[in-house]
Amino acid sequence: MTCGFDGCPTPRAIQTFQPDQGGRILDRYNRLMGRLELVRRVNVPLSSVPEFVQQAFIATEDRRFYQHGGLDWRGFFRALATNLKAGRTREGFSTITMQVARNTFAVRKYPARSLRQKLAELRLSRLMESSLTKKQILELYFNVIYMGNGVYGVEAASRDLFGRSVSQLNLQQAAMLAALPKAPSAYTPRRHPDRALNRRNLVLSLMVKEGYVSANRLAGLQKQPLRIARDEYRPQDPNDSYALDAVRAKVDSIIQNGSADVVDLTIRTTLDRNAQIAADKAVRRQAGVIQSETGRRAQIQGAMVAIDPRNGDIRALSGGRQYERGNFNRALLAHRQPGSAFKPFVYAAAMAAGYTPSDEVDDDPIDIIQGREVWSPSNYGDQYFGRITFRKALIKSANAATVRVSQAVGIPRIIETAHKNGIVSPLPNVPSMALGSAEVTPIELVTAYAPFANGGHKVTPRLVRSISTSDDVPIWISPEADLNPVMVMDPRDAYQVTSMLQSVVDYGTGRIVRDDGVKGLIAGKTGTTNSGTDVWFVGYTPTVVAAFWFGFDNPAPISGDASGGRLAAPAWVEFYQNGWREYASPNAWNPPVGMVERIIDPTTGYLATEWCPVSRNEYYKPERPLPTVPCPEHGPDMQDDQNNGDWQNQRDWGNDFGKKIGKALGKIFKF
C-alpha cells in the first residue's frame, strides 16, 4: 500500500503536524495579523479534554483504541460480515487512528469512501502508530474530527452546542459530542433533536457497556433533556480588516488550481501590523468626527492606503469606516475625484517643461471657453492673490493660477505625467482635469505620488511577499522591487515638486500637520472637490506615502466648509504619530548633484530679503533662468515678526524656539 503520488509523510512531518485554524497571514515582521479563512476550529491539548469526554468517544468510535496498531482486525471482520449480510454498507470499521489519517494527510486527496482512500488511510495509520503515542493520536483526533455545522474539533463543537469550553462539560454533554462523528448532519441537535437525543442515549449505554459509567446511573442520565445554546459559535477576529480581504483576494488569484489546501497556508505580506491598526483607527475615528457635522443620516465613509515609496510595498490599507468581510474595498476600488490633490501633477509637468518653483503666474479670475460654454473656476472662498510664484500657488491651492499653469503646459502633457507616475484611470483632455475632476482610486494616487518621494522612479504596489505551505515550504514568491527601476521623472523635477509640497505642509493648506506636532521631513497636498463632496490628504516622507479620503458613498456635500486640510489631514497625523516608526534621515531629500543654490522665502517662492521671516536654500536646474525677484511681501514695516529664523531648516520642530516661530507665522499667514 502507498500514500499516492505525493508519497507518504515522514515521521517528523507526522510528529509536527498541527491542525490548521485557517492558515496564517503574517506582516512584514512575521507577526500574525489574521487568518486566511475563518475556520471554526480551536486546537486544545489533550489535557484540556476531560477523561470522561475521551471515554465517550472511545466507547463509541473505537473501543479497542488502546489495543490495536491502527487497524482493528476484529472490527474489520465484524463490519465485513454485517455488510455482506445486509448487502450494503451498514457498519464502518474506521478506527480513531484511521479517522485522524483521513482528516490530516489524506484529506481531499481521494474520492470519499473509495478503495484508494481506505488503502491510504491504512498505510497512514500504521505510520502514525509508529511515529506517535496513543495520547498524541487522540489529541490530534479531538482537534481534526468534523463535528457538523461547519465545526471541527471538540472544543469548537462544545462552544457551538453548549456555549462553553469542553473542559466545562458534564457527562450528558460529553455523550452528545461523541454522538456526532458517525453522521454529523443526521444527529445535529439543532435540526434533529429527537434523533440526537436517541443517539446521545446510545452513547451513554455504550459507556456503561465499556465500564466507564456505572449501570445504576444510566436511567437517570438518559432522562436528562438536551439543552443546546441559543447562539452558534462564530469565531471573531478583532484584527480582521479590508487589508486582509485584499490579501485573500490576491492569494485566490495566485492559487487557482484548487489542488492545494488553501486554508492551510502561510502568507507573508508587506503589511505592518502596527501601521494597519493605526490606519483602521484613524479612518474610523475621523469618519465619526466628520459625521457629527454632516447633518445627514447617510454614513460618512473613509479609505486609506500607505505604501513604501522606495519599493511600492503596501504597509497599511483601510477600505472603509466599519469592516465587514467581503465588503466593497474603497481603498482599491472607489473612484472619486481627487480635487486639489491632483495639482502636484500639473506642477510636475510644468517642472519638466522648464518652469521653476519661482516662476510667476497670475492668480486672478479666469474664463476658459469650451465650445459654446465658458468655464470659470474660482478659488476657495473667492480669495485671489494676484501675481504669485508657482510655489505660492501650490501653497495656497490657488485654482485660477493652477488652471493658467495647466493651459501653459498643456493638458495632454499633464495627463502623460500622471499616467507615467502611476495613475491608470482614464484622464479626459478637458481643462477641469487640472483641478482633479477625473476620478481615481486611493491606491492609484499614492502610487503616483511615490516618484515625488523617491527621486523620480515608478513603483508597483505589492501586498503579498510569499505563499508557503503549513510546514513553510514556499510555493510562490513575489519578485522583489527592481534594483534598476524605471525613471518616470527627472530627479530634479521630483525634488522641486517635493520642495513645493513641503511648503504646503509648513505654511499652506496642510499646515495642520505641523500644528498637530508632526516633525521631520513631510510633504503633502490637500484635496477638496466641488461643494465639499470629497476631502483628501496625501502626505509623504522618504519612507511612506499615505492618502486619506472621506466622503459619502453616494456623492453629496459633507458640509458647507468641508476641506481636506481640516477634515482629512488630522487622520493622516493620527496614523503617522501612532502607527509609523520608520523616520528618515534629515538628509534624505538632499538636492540632486549639479543643481544651483539660491536662498528664498519658502512662503512666497521669491528671493529672500533681510526682512523675510523665514528662508531656505532652494535649488534650480542650472540650464534654466534663476530667480531674480526679491520677495515683495516682507519689509521693514513688519519688524515685530522678524525674529523667526530659518523654520524650514530646523530639525527639532518641538523645541521652544520652534513654538515661537509657529506663533509668529500664525500671525503673518492667515491662509
Side-chain angles (χ1 to χ4, degrees):
M1 290 183 293
T2 68
C3 301
F5 293 111
D6 295 335
C8 295
T10 64
R12 175 170 175 76
I14 293 173
Q15 292 162 1
T16 58
F17 178 84
Q18 286 292 321
D20 75 86
Q21 291 180 267
R24 299 182 302 157
I25 299 177
L26 308 179
D27 81 345
R28 64 185 301 103
Y29 304 110
N30 290 324
R31 296 174 296 192
L32 182 66
M33 291 192 70
R35 297 289 177 182
L36 190 61
E37 296 289 344
L38 290 179
V39 174
R40 299 173 71 188
R41 185 206 311 272
V42 181
N43 292 331
V44 292
L46 187 62
S47 59
S48 296
V49 183
E51 186 175 8
F52 61 83
V53 175
Q54 299 178 36
Q55 293 168 344
F57 279 85
I58 291 172
T60 309
E61 293 294 312
D62 189 359
R63 58 190 176 128
R64 299 188 64 253
F65 172 68
Y66 284 106
Q67 283 76 50
H68 64 68
L71 172 62
D72 182 2
W73 288 106
R74 293 184 188 178
F76 170 74
F77 288 116
R78 183 178 63 251
L80 181 62
T82 300
N83 295 337
L84 287 174
K85 184 177 180 180
R88 57 188 177 90
T89 301
R90 292 190 58 184
E91 184 175 328
F93 64 91
S94 290
T95 63
I96 282 177
T97 310
M98 291 174 66
Q99 292 182 58
V100 172
R102 181 188 312 146
N103 287 281
T104 55
F105 297 100
V107 66
R108 289 191 287 278
K109 281 191 175 182
Y110 309 104
R113 299 180 180 272
S114 67
L115 178 61
R116 291 183 63 193
Q117 183 191 59
K118 283 296 181 185
L119 292 176
E121 287 175 14
L122 292 173
R123 175 60 176 154
L124 287 166
S125 296
R126 297 297 298 272
L127 289 173
M128 286 184 170
E129 290 281 350
S130 63
S131 302
L132 302 172
T133 67
K134 286 289 187 178
K135 287 189 178 298
Q136 288 174 322
I137 293 172
L138 200 57
E139 179 176 300
L140 271 179
Y141 174 77
F142 285 133
N143 287 319
V144 301
I145 191 68
Y146 181 63
M147 303 292 284
N149 199 29
V151 172
Y152 295 84
V154 295
E155 176 65 21
S158 180
R159 298 185 187 188
D160 184 56
L161 292 179
F162 309 117
R164 64 183 63 180
S165 171
V166 68
S167 63
Q168 300 172 316
L169 296 185
N170 58 35
L171 185 56
Q172 302 96 297
Q173 292 167 333
M176 185 64 253
L177 288 187
L180 293 172
K182 180 178 175 63
S185 297
Y187 297 125
T188 177
R190 285 198 175 94
R191 290 199 298 270
H192 308 292
D194 294 338
R195 198 182 297 170
L197 182 61
N198 291 334
R199 176 71 179 169
R200 183 206 70 175
N201 289 343
L202 173 62
V203 172
L204 288 169
S205 65
L206 291 174
M207 294 182 73
V208 170
K209 181 179 179 181
E210 296 301 319
Y212 296 136
V213 177
S214 62
N216 58 6
R217 295 184 60 194
L218 181 60
L221 290 171
Q222 290 182 333
K223 287 181 180 179
Q224 295 296 320
L226 284 175
R227 291 186 175 88
I228 304 302
R230 174 182 296 180
D231 298 324
E232 297 180 359
Y233 165 63
R234 296 291 176 183
Q236 298 294 325
D237 185 350
N239 293 323
D240 211 350
S241 66
Y242 286 97
L244 299 190
D245 269 1
V247 171
R248 294 175 185 120
K250 179 64 176 178
V251 172
D252 284 346
S253 72
I254 296 170
I255 308 297
Q256 295 179 346
N257 58 18
S259 61
D261 188 359
V262 175
V263 300
D264 197 16
L265 298 174
T266 296
I267 316 299
R268 288 180 169 83
T269 72
T270 62
L271 297 166
D272 179 327
R273 186 178 67 180
N274 293 344
Q276 182 62 47
I277 292 172
D280 287 331
K281 286 183 178 178
V283 168
R284 189 164 54 248
R285 188 200 64 79
Q286 189 61 22
V289 171
I290 298 172
Q291 187 80 54
S292 65
E293 65 173 71
T294 62
R296 292 175 177 267
R297 297 184 64 181
Q299 190 176 67
I300 280 287
Q301 283 295 344
M304 178 273 186
V305 187
I307 69 169
D308 186 334
R310 297 165 293 188
N311 51 32
D313 284 358
I314 298 174
R315 306 297 287 274
L317 182 155
S318 184
R321 177 178 179 176
Q322 293 176 318
Y323 170 74
E324 291 183 22
R325 188 107 182 243
N327 262 15
F328 182 67
N329 193 326
R330 297 163 186 83
L332 302 179
L333 303 173
H335 285 80
R336 302 300 288 247
Q337 292 181 342
S340 295
F342 187 84
K343 288 176 181 175
F345 302 108
V346 175
Y347 290 92
M351 299 302 104
Y355 292 94
T356 76
S358 298
D359 283 332
E360 295 180 286
V361 61
D362 288 328
D363 183 49
D364 295 311
I366 183 174
D367 295 326
I368 302 292
I369 298 176
Q370 297 178 271
R372 297 182 178 181
E373 297 182 354
V374 177
W375 178 53
S376 303
S378 60
N379 284 359
Y380 185 80
D382 287 325
Q383 185 179 16
Y384 297 88
F385 303 96
R387 190 75 172 168
I388 56 174
T389 62
F390 282 23
R391 178 183 294 274
K392 187 165 185 178
L394 200 51
I395 290 173
K396 296 288 191 178
S397 199
N399 288 340
T402 300
V403 169
R404 284 189 170 89
V405 172
S406 71
Q407 292 294 297
V409 173
I411 298 297
R413 175 172 281 179
I414 297 168
I415 294 173
E416 181 184 10
T417 297
H419 279 155
K420 279 185 176 181
N421 274 35
I423 297 293
V424 296
S425 294
L427 300 174
N429 185 0
V430 295
S432 63
M433 198 272 302
L435 300 185
S437 63
E439 294 181 342
V440 300
T441 63
I443 186 66
E444 287 180 81
L445 207 52
V446 295
T447 302
Y449 266 65
F452 303 150
N454 65 31
H457 67 259
K458 187 175 183 177
V459 301
T460 300
R462 184 176 71 150
L463 183 59
V464 175
R465 296 161 54 211
S466 68
I467 303 174
S468 305
T469 60
S470 58
D471 50 354
D472 222 21
V473 176
I475 60 177
W476 181 85
I477 298 176
S478 168
E480 294 292 332
D482 193 344
L483 295 178
N484 298 301
V486 176
M487 297 299 294
V488 293
M489 293 183 68
D490 185 323
R492 300 174 299 177
D493 297 337
Y495 172 81
Q496 289 182 320
V497 171
T498 290
S499 172
M500 289 191 283
L501 292 176
Q502 284 180 278
S503 292
V504 171
V505 170
D506 292 336
Y507 316 110
T509 57
R511 192 174 63 189
I512 190 173
V513 173
R514 294 300 189 200
D515 291 343
D516 284 350
V518 177
K519 307 173 184 178
L521 296 176
I522 308 287
K525 186 68 187 75
T526 56
T528 310
T529 61
N530 288 340
S531 302
T533 298
D534 302 272
V535 292
W536 296 79
F537 183 73
V538 187
Y540 64 94
T541 77
T543 63
V544 65
V545 183
F548 280 83
W549 163 85
F550 294 96
F552 294 106
D553 280 337
N554 294 318
I558 295 171
S559 64
D561 60 345
S563 70
R566 188 173 68 83
L567 297 180
W572 193 96
V573 171
E574 181 177 342
F575 161 75
Y576 189 75
Q577 290 179 329
N578 296 330
W580 198 251
R581 296 294 179 268
E582 295 184 32
Y583 301 120
S585 162
N587 300 318
W589 279 339
N590 279 349
V593 175
M595 298 188 79
V596 180
E597 178 184 1
R598 289 291 184 270
I599 299 177
I600 66 160
D601 180 332
T603 69
T604 65
Y606 294 105
L607 289 174
T609 69
E610 58 185 299
W611 295 289
C612 288
V614 289
S615 64
R616 66 165 285 166
N617 298 335
E618 182 65 284
Y619 294 84
Y620 298 86
K621 300 174 187 177
E623 67 269 23
R624 303 305 305 168
L626 300 177
T628 59
V629 180
C631 177
E633 297 190 20
H634 304 109
D637 59 329
M638 302 179 66
Q639 287 291 342
D640 290 342
D641 293 320
Q642 299 305 306
N643 298 321
N644 295 310
D646 185 350
W647 208 37
Q648 175 64 24
N649 288 328
Q650 286 181 206
R651 300 303 177 191
D652 183 6
W653 298 91
N655 62 22
D656 292 339
F657 185 48
K659 292 178 181 178
K660 292 178 181 178
I661 292 172
K663 291 180 180 178
L665 289 173
K667 297 177 181 178
I668 297 170
F669 302 108
K670 303 293 186 180
F671 296 146

